[in-house]
Amino acid sequence: VCNHLNIDGLKLEYTGAYAIAVEAERSIRRDMIQSVTMSLVMLGLLFLVAYRGLLTFPIAIVPVALGILCTFGLSSLWATELTPVVAVMGAVLAGLAIDYPIHLLSHYGNCKASGLSTPDAINATLTSVGPPMSAACATSMVGFLAIAFSCVPALRQLALLGMIGLAA
């Protein structure tokens, strides 16, 4: 604020609750952005290696990204604070949720390779993979539900975000 008055080069460090809160807010924001960005970059590289195509990653990541966006948007209705644990939930959700499009894309690719038309391949994929994927999602949500009964508020918020994120 008054750095122009510090002509001797004295090193000033601020302390106290306000300074700590400001630094914590910056760290949480940086960690959240970094973890989600790195997660997306690594998932993109993984898709490029596994599927050898540029189109599969956008097809898979768009529903995941929309789910994460909806999750944090909904959570902002009741929670105005993010703890460090909750801030990285976007990356965790990306890692958990990307499994569902991978299963769909793989099954769809097998159906197309077997000669099914696009509508038939989509129908076959949804009817055969849809119920097991729903059950897998439900079991993960039950795991988050168990955490939701924690006495630690940050863990409760994490669990709620996890359940909403997987549902989205």
Side-chain angles (χ1 to χ4, degrees), residues 7-163:
I7 57 175
D8 294 332
L10 182 66
K11 183 178 178 184
L12 298 174
E13 292 185 12
Y14 300 102
T15 63
Y18 179 76
I20 292 169
V22 168
E23 182 60 29
E25 183 270 333
R26 287 184 191 137
S27 297
I28 290 169
R29 182 183 306 269
R30 182 179 55 244
D31 287 349
M32 182 177 178
I33 292 168
Q34 183 181 18
S35 66
V36 170
T37 303
M38 285 304 297
S39 179
L40 291 174
V41 168
M42 288 188 281
L43 286 171
L45 290 173
L46 180 63
F47 265 76
L48 189 61
V49 169
Y51 287 99
R52 294 182 182 90
L54 297 176
L55 192 57
T56 56
F57 182 63
I59 289 171
I61 204 63
V62 165
V64 172
L66 289 174
I68 293 170
L69 183 65
C70 289
T71 300
F72 280 96
L74 286 172
S75 75
S76 71
L77 296 174
W78 70 84
T80 58
E81 298 175 358
L82 285 178
T83 65
V85 172
V86 176
V88 297
M89 192 58 185
V92 172
L93 284 172
L96 286 171
I98 198 70
D99 291 345
Y100 304 113
I102 288 173
H103 288 295
L104 289 170
L105 284 169
S106 296
H107 195 276
Y108 173 79
N110 288 338
C111 290
K112 286 294 287 181
S114 71
L116 290 177
S117 67
T118 299
D120 289 340
I122 291 171
N123 189 37
T125 297
L126 293 177
T127 55
S128 64
V129 180
M133 281 180 37
S134 297
C137 182
T139 60
S140 296
M141 291 174 73
V142 167
F144 280 119
L145 182 63
I147 298 169
F149 292 102
S150 170
C151 295
V152 180
L155 291 178
R156 286 195 308 266
Q157 187 180 11
L158 175 102
L160 191 55
L161 283 175
M163 288 188 296

